[in-house]
Structure formats: structure tokens, C-alpha cells
Amino acid sequence: MSETYMRVPATGPKRTVYTDAMEIFHRAADLIGLNPRVRLELEEPDYEHIFYVTVKLKDRLVPVTGADAAPFADLPVTQVRNPEGLEALADGKIILNGRALLGSDVAIRRGHLRLPSGGVYQLVPGEAQRFKAYRVQHNQARGPYKGGIRYHREVSLDLFKALAAEMTWKTAIAEVPFGGGKGGIQLDPRQYGREELEAITLRYMYKLKSLVGPNIDIPAPDVGTNGEIMALMLRQFSDGERERHAQRGVVTGKDVRIGGSEGRVKATGRGVVFCVEDFYAERGETLKGKTFIVQGFGNVGSHAAEILCGMGAKLLAVNDADGTIFNGDGIDASALMAHTTDSKNLKRSVAGFAGAQKIEKADFWAVPCDFVIPAALGGEITSEVAERMKTKLIAEGANGPTTPEADAILQKRGIEMIPDIIANAGGVTVSYYEWIQNKRMESWTEAEVNKKLEFAMKRNYRIIRDIARNSARKSEMHDSARFLIGKEMSTRAAAMVLALKRIEAHYLLEGFSQ
Ligand code: NAD
């Protein structure tokens, strides 16, 4: 009997940010002939947690303009007795904290009021809201899961899977005894007040509590989170526990006054700099007079830029989510940091900085320079950007900033690459130092931390370069002979080869539990 129906052709595997990120894994796995069962173990995460947190939001004053504001032009101005109670957000709305309006002369008409600035606002009562939250635990062959918490509008399970896998590679490359994890919440933190973010964070950790711990899974800051958020997570995790102080290591990236490590805040940026410094040192050059541009002026970008400027390099241009600036004579990174961290600069943007001129984002990538530090989000260096870059070296501060297509173009154009999994490993390296200090109840000096970090970064970066060139070397910091695989490859593939060799050893020597 013949079949009369049509078969739907089998579709190929869907391309996602995760499959893109895993391309290099598969390439390196092929190169070293990775054990097939180990490949299966690493190909997908151990656990993918998706859950929801609900929080009651506060009342807001929402700005009203144009024709909607006109009927309220004659409204008497509301004099707020406690201006501390008003919290301005980056989106123009104002949160009413506590009893902000209590004791004030309030003139409200149909839910609208006018503030001394002259602006008309609609009073919108706070309601409960639900947020989607994630934690992906990729692999723990080498130690507890470890990885950041991201608060951002554009997050997804695929993205966190990619970032968690990258942490598995990074912790192996950095030689710290951790595996890989990543997670976060789908929200733009700039749209919420301080107390709202506190409530969201506490609720997130409340739901996460059974999944994490100092010897199980250790979160850290990432995009949109910082030491304050880590402090809240620590409190929610340890409050009321019998051995509360033994649990400090449940998160890293804490403030130094509550168990954080000296040098942690700057560690990722500093690690990027150590790699760039070693890149030039091998050529007998220093950073003095070298020109560079930075995308993203948050934790990673701003500290890397400031340290580089301190070493005599010249910062020519910066692009962030809200603006792009350029100064051919060099941008003063410390002054720019003061500008972005000024409490009046609600967007924390480089836009409006007096020491540089505004340029278009499209022109940013084409600024001629010695090296580029992408330190914003993933996927920013596309094929089109890669074709237009006028640089000799890229040091990836961000995670996954270069698409696979762009990577191939950069290689063809002979632009050198310090890939993310080594370039930005400084953060997790000092997170490890923080975790040890917590376990031992010790506190190390910044000089000690930086010295250890320099050794770790340069040692592992040198091994990666040697793998890439298939040339064994020995220095006071490293010995690469046992990692070479008998052929040359890109530095990105070499970094992955180093990671896989270190991870595979655990499976091959410890075997698989049944
Ligand atoms: P951050 O939130 O402190 O700063 C992010 C910066 O990127 C901001 O300046 C923001 O304006 C900019 N940005 C956001 N979207 C952008 C866009 N579309 N175009 C241009 N700029 C944009 O974050 P961070 O901690 O500095 O992290 C930056 C990158 O480094 C991320 O990829 C993160 O995963 C990676 N990373 C961070 C650490 C760490 O210790 N913080 C460690 C390793 C890797």
C-alpha cells in the first residue's frame, strides 16, 4: 500500500544563542577527540531552573506631558515635605517611598499633581507584579557551580544556558575549583526603586535557597547587579541559620566590609588588562602610548579603562547603551567614571561627558586604534562590525561579544583575539579568593590579591597562546608542554582545548557514578 500523505521534512536543529555559543565547544571537542560520554555530559546543563517571583510594587508618579498635562496647568504645586521619600528613576517616573506625601500640602485633581519642577504627574497605585527568574547549573565536575546573576530585560533560558556553559570553561581555564552556573531575572533594574529591588532580590533568593550554597552553587554579580544585591542575597540565605557566619561564601562580589575581597570590584577589568599587557610584553612592547576604545562603561569597562589609562594607554572612544563619545586627544577615564557614577546621572551613561564629543554608534567601531575592549553585552561584534574595525587586537571583557561569523572574519583579517573565557576570568578568579577568605575567616590585602591574580591570568593566557601556536614553552609562570595537541589553532579554540582537557581529566580519572 502506497503512502498518500506527505512527510514534513525533518528540520535541522534550530540555531539559538546557545547553539552559537556551543559551536566552539564542539570544534575543540573534535580537535582533541573528547571522550563521547564527556561530550554528552557537557553538551547540555545539569539543571535548568525556571521560576517566578512576585513582588508588590510601590506607588509611582508617572510623568504626563502635552495635551494630557494641559488640564492640570493651573493645579497648585504640591510641596513635598519629605523629598527623601521621592526616588527618581531613569525612565522619568518617581517612586513614592514610605509616606513621602504625608504632612505635605498636596493638591490632587483626578489623580494628578504638579511638582515644584512644574511637571505634571499621574499618581499610579503600586500593584503586585510577577517576574520570570532563572538559574542554570551547567556542570560541577570540577567543583560547586559558580556564576553571575544578571538583571536585564533581554534574558532567556538559552542565554543563561550559554553563559552557564561559559562559566564551566572559564573556571577550568582560571584553575579555580568550581563548575559553571548563571542566572537572573527578566527586568530592567533601572525601572524599579531601591526597596522594590530589595524585595525582588530577597524573593529570588528565597526561591533559590534550596538550590545554592557555599559548597553547592555560588552566585556573583553580573550585568545589572552589584555588591548591594549580593549583600541582600547573603542576608536572605543566612538569616536565622545556626551557623550563619559559615555561609558567607554563598555569594561572592560582596562589599569588603561584609566579607568581600579587596580587589574584587576591579578584578575583571584588571584581568583584561593583565592579558593585554602580556600580549604586548611578548612583543617587547608596553601599554604606554597604545590607543584603545571600550564598549560598555560599567564594572568591567570602566575599571579596565581606568587601569589602562594609569599605565599610559590612551582611551579614544566609549559606547554604552545610551550614548557614544570620542576624543582624539584621549578621554580621562577617571573623570568619565566620576561622570557615570554621579547621582544625578540616572542612566549612568557616558553621554553628556564634557571631556569628549558625541559621535554616532556606527562610527564607534571604525575608530582606528591598537586594541578594542568590548565590555557590554553579547553579540555586539557582528560580521558587519568585524569588517569595519580598524584595530589589531580585541580583548573580550564581555561574555560572547563576537558572533561566530564575525570571529571568522576577524581571523581572516588577521586581527588578534584574547577570548572572553580567559580575558574576563579575573572576576571569577578573585571570587575564588573571596570564597577561600570566607572559609578561612581571613582578609587579604589588595596587593596580595592583585599579585595572585596577575600570576593566574598570565600563566593561563600563556598556556593558551602556546596551545594555539603548538609550541611548548616554559616561563617562571607556566609550562605548556602537556597541553599541546600537535596542531595550530585560533586562541579561542586553544582556550577551549585547555578548558576541556582540565574538565575531561575529572571524568577520566574519577569515572562516572551510576
Ligand atoms: P554593567 O551592568 O556594570 O555594565 C554594562 C555596560 O554595558 C553599561 O555601561 C551599559 O550601558 C552597557 N550596555 C548595555 N547594553 C548596551 C548596548 N546595547 N550597547 C552598548 N552598551 C551597552 O555590567 P558589567 O558587570 O560591567 O558586565 C559587562 C560584561 O562583562 C557582561 O557581558 C558580563 O557578562 C561580563 N562580565 C562581567 C564580570 C563582572 O565581574 N562584572 C565578569 C566576567 C564577565
Side-chain angles (χ1 to χ4, degrees), residues 460-499:
N460 289 303
Y461 180 38
R462 286 179 192 184
I463 296 175
I464 289 168
R465 272 178 293 175
D466 293 354
I467 297 174
R469 295 173 190 149
N470 192 34
S471 141
R473 280 190 312 168
K474 215 171 171 171
S475 71
E476 72 289 0
M477 288 185 183
H478 85 300
D479 181 354
S480 57
R482 72 193 152 99
F483 296 105
L484 306 190
I485 65 157
K487 40 188 137 170
E488 292 178 23
M489 65 193 85
S490 68
T491 40
R492 197 186 296 285
M496 188 60 81
V497 162
L498 177 61

Side-chain angles (χ1 to χ4, degrees), residues 150 152 163 170 182 221-225 264 268 295-301 319-322 348 361 375-378 380 397-399 424 427:
R150 181 173 292 197
H152 197 267
L163 294 170
K170 201 178 300 180
K182 203 87 174 194
D222 188 64
V223 176
T225 61
R264 172 61 183 90
T268 309
Q295 186 195 34
F297 206 72
N299 176 291
V300 180
N319 160 257
D320 72 11
D322 301 288
R348 301 186 157 262
K361 181 170 181 178
L377 300 182
E380 284 285 314
N399 284 314
N424 68 29

Side-chain angles (χ1 to χ4, degrees), residues 252-430:
T252 57
K254 300 180 288 290
D255 188 301
V256 286
R257 292 166 295 182
I258 58 165
S261 176
E262 294 289 352
R264 172 61 183 90
V265 172
K266 297 185 181 181
T268 309
R270 194 178 290 283
V272 175
V273 177
F274 283 139
C275 288
V276 178
E277 189 185 29
D278 213 46
F279 174 90
Y280 286 114
E282 198 180 39
R283 291 159 170 73
E285 298 172 33
T286 69
L287 283 161
K288 206 165 169 40
K290 293 277 185 298
T291 54
F292 69 108
I293 62 173
V294 175
Q295 186 195 34
F297 206 72
N299 176 291
V300 180
S302 69
H303 289 117
E306 194 182 36
I307 297 166
L308 284 163
C309 288
M311 295 167 89
K314 196 152 101 176
L315 173 61
L316 297 181
V318 183
N319 160 257
D320 72 11
D322 301 288
T324 312
I325 57 170
F326 172 84
N327 185 343
D329 295 328
I331 294 169
D332 178 343
S334 305
L336 183 57
M337 246 168 135
H339 171 79
T340 56
T341 53
D342 186 320
S343 60
K344 288 196 268 329
N345 185 349
L346 292 177
K347 291 189 168 171
R348 301 186 157 262
S349 173
V350 299
F353 177 60
Q357 71 189 78
K358 179 175 177 261
I359 59 166
E360 291 305 314
K361 181 170 181 178
D363 299 326
F364 168 78
W365 293 114
V367 170
C369 58
D370 290 308
F371 61 95
V372 175
I373 302 182
L377 300 182
E380 284 285 314
I381 302 183
T382 56
S383 318
E384 192 229 334
V385 168
E387 295 282 9
R388 294 176 48 236
M389 289 175 110
K390 295 194 183 76
T391 191
K392 297 172 203 119
L393 169 69
I394 296 171
E396 294 183 328
N399 284 314
T402 312
T403 65
E405 294 81 7
D407 208 35
I409 293 169
L410 294 170
Q411 260 190 64
K412 212 177 317 145
R413 292 190 56 205
I415 296 175
E416 303 263 9
M417 173 68 72
I418 309 179
D420 52 2
I421 46 179
I422 176 68
N424 68 29
V428 76
T429 304
V430 177

